[in-house]
Amino acid sequence: LDHEHYSIAAELLGMMNRKESAEAVLQKVRDLAGLTAPDQPIPSAHRYVAMMCILHLGARSFSHFL
């Protein structure tokens, strides 16, 4: 709960559990990173957290993630 990226992970996991669109999740990552221009690269820490969320959900059952 006190990890610096906990709130980002919790928000992304919630969106993914609700099966929100990939575009919505990507936009949330960009918003959480404070990016304003679409051509700005997403910071590696935010990319890492997003990937770990995907892997966490997929580890339970790939078919349920779809």
Side-chain angles (χ1 to χ4, degrees):
L1 291 170
D2 59 348
H3 191 277
E4 64 181 305
H5 299 303
Y6 175 82
S7 62
I8 296 169
E11 193 155 356
L12 294 178
L13 279 171
M15 291 181 77
M16 292 176 190
N17 278 324
R18 291 188 301 274
K19 299 185 189 279
E20 294 193 28
S21 71
E23 292 81 12
V25 174
L26 179 59
Q27 186 58 50
K28 178 55 75 175
V29 171
R30 295 183 68 72
D31 292 345
L32 291 170
L35 303 178
T36 55
D39 60 338
Q40 289 179 285
I42 297 172
S44 61
H46 287 77
R47 287 193 318 261
Y48 179 80
V49 170
M51 182 56 67
M52 290 299 109
C53 290
I54 292 168
L55 292 174
H56 173 73
L57 291 173
R60 291 194 235 155
S61 172
F62 185 71
S63 63
H64 287 130
F65 180 64
L66 299 176

